[in-house]
Amino acid sequence: RSVFEIAFFYPGIHAKLIYRLANRFWRCHFYWLARMLSHFGRFLTGIEIHPGAKIGRRFFIDHGMGIVIGETAEIGDDVTLYQGVTLGGTSWKKEKRHPTIEDRVVIGAGAKLLGPIRIGHDSRIGSSSVVVHDVPAYSTVVGIPGKVIHRPFEDSSADRGHYVEKGELPDPFSDALEEMNKTLHSLEERVKRLENKS
């Protein structure tokens, strides 16, 4: 409703500002100070962003409580994260161990993206999905483990976030059951016709 409200009451904005400062210290090898700022940001906002993470422009955090972004995570431009998202690692080794998120990706509430995977640009990750494999561009992912559903169009800018925000994510299991139901109905009709002929 106002710039004042955003400045004082949006934890996503506070988390980003603290991250930007901590990241500068991290790049200057003041690791202890960077981690201290990051820890303060987590205490203040409930959002944990490691100062070593790489985050692009116009990154948006909606609500944000419980978000965790690991040290080697990379986030492109125009990415949106909802509350409870984890960009986590699966290894203790000193290597790339967190996800890479390309441009214009929307990640729904409670989704867990684990390991050094890559999420293609203009993709949507459904709420509470667990993603452990690469996702191609222009895809929608739902389920545990996450299943990729390719979108029927490539220009997704017009409906950015539509599926995730409005709860209209496709359900692959429901679609499969519906297809089986149609096949069963077709077979029943054929059996009836054969019985009538005999």
Side-chain angles (χ1 to χ4, degrees), residues 103-161:
D103 299 343
R104 297 175 302 281
V105 171
V106 178
I107 305 178
K112 310 300 176 191
L113 286 68
L114 305 174
I117 59 175
R118 179 173 291 273
I119 308 300
H121 60 87
D122 298 284
S123 291
R124 308 289 176 262
I125 309 299
S127 297
S128 300
S129 298
V130 177
V131 185
V132 293
H133 298 292
D134 289 352
V135 173
Y138 302 106
S139 296
T140 299
V141 176
V142 295
I144 304 173
K147 306 282 187 196
V148 175
I149 301 170
H150 291 284
R151 305 182 74 181
F153 48 87
E154 292 198 347
D155 183 13
S156 61
S157 59
D159 77 327
R160 184 173 179 272

Side-chain angles (χ1 to χ4, degrees), residues 89-108:
T90 56
S91 168
W92 292 102
K93 295 178 182 177
K94 298 289 186 182
E95 59 187 11
K96 171 69 171 160
R97 60 189 189 279
H98 298 93
T100 297
I101 313 297
E102 295 183 0
D103 299 343
R104 297 175 302 281
V105 171
V106 178
I107 305 178

Side-chain angles (χ1 to χ4, degrees), residues 178-188:
E178 183 65 28
E179 194 62 34
M180 286 176 60
N181 191 35
K182 287 179 183 176
T183 303
L184 182 60
H185 183 69
S186 174
L187 288 171
E188 285 175 345

Side-chain angles (χ1 to χ4, degrees), residues 11-12 45-48 61-68 81-85:
T45 66
I47 299 167
E48 181 174 345
I61 298 172
D62 195 6
H63 299 294
M65 181 60 73
I67 285 178
V68 177
L81 266 59
Y82 289 85
Q83 66 271 18
V85 168

